[in-house]
Each structure stands twice: as structure tokens, then as C-alpha cells.
Amino acid sequence: MKNKVKIASLLLAIAGLSGCEINDPVNDWADLGQQTAYVYWELKDAVNAGSDLDFRVYYYADGSTIEKAQVWYGVSSTINRAVTCPYISYTYTESETDEVVASHLVKEFDPQTVSWDDAKSSYILDATFPVSSSWASVTWASVGSSDFTETLFKTYYPGDYETNFREALTTQIETDYHGNMKKIVVDGFMKMTEEEYEALFTKTTNEEVYEITDENKARLDGIVAALTTPELIFDGKEYGVNYNCTYTLSAKFQVSDSNGVISNTDIKNITVN
């Protein structure tokens, strides 16, 4: 019985060591047995495009010398596209996030010029790194008739967006076909009089449900299908567009020591305005 207990304890100890090895963050930086540097930085989480972002970094290494100090970042974009059909107060939205630029070296610093701070027991570097004006946010919203063009619309709303909007609008109309279609065909675009429109429907005896033949429905659907998307999103003064693209930097500070060991800070996500 004692031998069984010892064997069970040994297996548990091995399992514990395996779990530590899998979750040990040191493996992200160096091989086992290598001493990584301590590196930490402070900086804001937002910056204006075309400017420099200030930061402060603390680092030290035991038994080695820091030979490289660098800022790296990648860039991702978040795009929100929305259009509104004002006649039935319906808004259709799509969003996407994509990597624009992979993480790359942005700026390098000379570790030999960094001063040691006895109070912090660390080297302290106060510096900046550049943020390109290319990463400025872009907004195109509530556009007046003089500033709206089909070319700009297709630029900001490419691919299948327009098709998806039209399909979603059709689905929304179906939620109250009689009421929604009337707002578009009669009230909005005056394609027929109210009397002509109502003649296409039959009310049930309790007058709460409107019925329509396939032929009459196809006629109304055809009227909406013939309207262009810009027509469907224009309220007479502005086009119901709301496009916004923002960029985010995923930045880190990296140091390499004389043993070839690379150490990184946590990644900081920085919104570019």
C-alpha cells in the first residue's frame, strides 16, 4: 500500500511539473535556463495620426548587457458601415476588423545612452515613436446632396454591401408589408395614390390583416427594386450614410541582451485619431 501511495504521489508531481511548463510565460521569451530581462513601459492608449507618442520604459537584465532596444507595432483597422432608409426608419450595419500591417520594427534606440536609476533599480528611457498620418480615422456620415457621389459611395461601401442592404431592407419591409411599402411607394416616392395602393390589398373581416395577390405584390416589389440605393437612403436633405474607419496600433517594446535573449513588454493597443 505504501508503494502505491509513493507511485501516485510521483505521478501527481510529474503532472504538476508538466502543467507548469505549459503555462510558463518564460517559454514565450527564451529557452529554459536563460535569464530574461525585465522590461515594462508606460504610454497613453490614444494618439493623433501624424504625431509622436511619448512613452517611458523601464528595463534591466541580470548577468548580461542590453544591446538592442526597439519599438515594434502592427496596425489593424475597424470599419463600421451603416446606411439608413429614412422612409421606414431602418438602418443596416456591417462591421469588420482586419490586420493592415503586420508587426514590424518602428524605431530603435541606443541602450548605451540610457541612464541607470538607483531609486527604481532600472534603466529608464523617456522617448517617442512616430505614428504615420496614414492611420488617421476616416468618417463619412450624414452627407449632403452636394457632397454625395456614386463613386464615393462605392468606395466606402464596396463588394456585396449594397446587395446585402437591399436584401435586408426587403426582409424588414416584410415585417409589416402593407405599412412599410405604403411609406415608400405612396408617402415617400408617390409612385401611386393612396387609393390606388389600397386597391391592391384585401382586408380580412376584422380589418386587421391585409392580404395581397402574388401579382400585386410583384408590382409593388418591382417599384422598390427599380429605385436606386442612393434614392432609398436620401431624405431630401442628406444621405443616410454612416461610415467610420479607425486604426489601432498593437505596440510592444523589445530588448535583446548580450546572450541573444529577447524580452518584450505586454502588447499595448493604441487607438489612432
Side-chain angles (χ1 to χ4, degrees):
M1 178 64 71
K2 291 183 178 180
N3 288 338
K4 290 182 180 180
V5 171
K6 289 180 179 179
I7 292 172
S9 299
L10 178 60
L11 290 175
L12 287 172
I14 293 172
L17 288 173
S18 298
C20 292
E21 182 178 341
I22 291 172
N23 296 292
D24 190 349
V26 170
N27 285 333
D28 294 337
W29 302 325
D31 295 331
L32 290 176
Q34 290 181 314
Q35 179 68 43
T36 60
Y38 168 84
V39 55
Y40 171 79
W41 68 344
E42 299 171 340
L43 68 169
K44 295 180 180 179
D45 59 5
V47 62
N48 292 325
S51 65
D52 290 337
L53 180 60
D54 299 328
F55 69 89
R56 167 173 283 190
V57 65
Y58 305 84
Y59 66 84
Y60 67 83
D62 292 329
S64 62
T65 303
I66 299 298
E67 295 187 340
K68 290 183 180 180
Q70 304 168 329
V71 170
W72 292 63
Y73 68 64
V75 184
S76 62
S77 65
T78 299
I79 298 176
N80 294 300
R81 297 182 176 94
V83 293
T84 298
C85 177
Y87 305 101
I88 60 171
S89 301
Y90 173 67
T91 299
Y92 176 74
T93 302
E94 287 186 8
S95 300
E96 64 182 71
T97 299
D98 296 299
E99 182 183 71
V100 180
V101 177
S103 184
H104 63 287
L105 176 62
V106 175
K107 191 172 182 179
E108 192 158 6
F109 305 89
D110 183 0
Q112 304 305 317
T113 63
V114 182
S115 300
W116 176 263
D117 187 300
D118 286 327
K120 299 292 186 181
S121 297
S122 173
Y123 289 99
I124 298 180
L125 171 64
D126 290 305
T128 66
F129 63 85
V131 178
S132 172
S133 58
S134 300
W135 311 130
S137 60
V138 178
T139 298
W140 195 59
S142 302
V143 180
S145 57
S146 61
D147 297 319
F148 183 93
T149 67
E150 291 269 5
T151 300
L152 279 175
F153 181 76
K154 292 185 180 300
T155 297
Y156 290 123
Y157 295 83
D160 295 331
Y161 185 92
E162 189 172 352
T163 299
N164 295 341
F165 161 65
R166 301 295 292 246
E167 291 177 351
L169 180 64
T170 298
T171 300
Q172 182 65 25
I173 291 173
E174 292 285 351
T175 61
D176 177 11
Y177 189 83
H178 174 270
N180 287 330
M181 190 61 79
K182 182 178 180 181
K183 291 174 182 177
I184 296 174
V185 172
V186 179
D187 302 334
F189 292 92
M190 296 177 285
K191 295 296 184 178
M192 59 179 63
T193 65
E194 184 172 352
E195 291 74 16
E196 291 171 331
Y197 180 80
E198 295 296 346
L200 299 177
F201 292 84
T202 302
K203 293 181 181 179
T204 58
T205 52
N206 58 13
E207 297 190 355
E208 293 181 359
V209 178
Y210 291 87
E211 296 179 347
I212 187 171
T213 65
D214 291 342
E215 181 180 358
N216 288 341
K217 187 174 185 298
R219 179 184 174 188
L220 292 176
D221 290 344
I223 292 173
V224 174
L227 296 169
T228 67
T229 298
E231 286 177 316
L232 285 168
I233 62 175
F234 185 58
D235 67 1
K237 294 181 180 180
E238 294 180 335
Y239 288 87
V241 294
N242 192 345
Y243 170 93
N244 182 255
C245 175
T246 57
Y247 295 94
T248 301
L249 310 181
S250 297
K252 65 182 180 181
F253 194 89
Q254 181 181 100
V255 297
S256 303
D257 67 17
S258 54
N259 295 321
V261 179
I262 297 173
S263 303
N264 298 299
T265 62
D266 291 338
I267 292 177
K268 298 287 188 180
N269 292 319
I270 303 159
T271 300
V272 185
N273 299 314

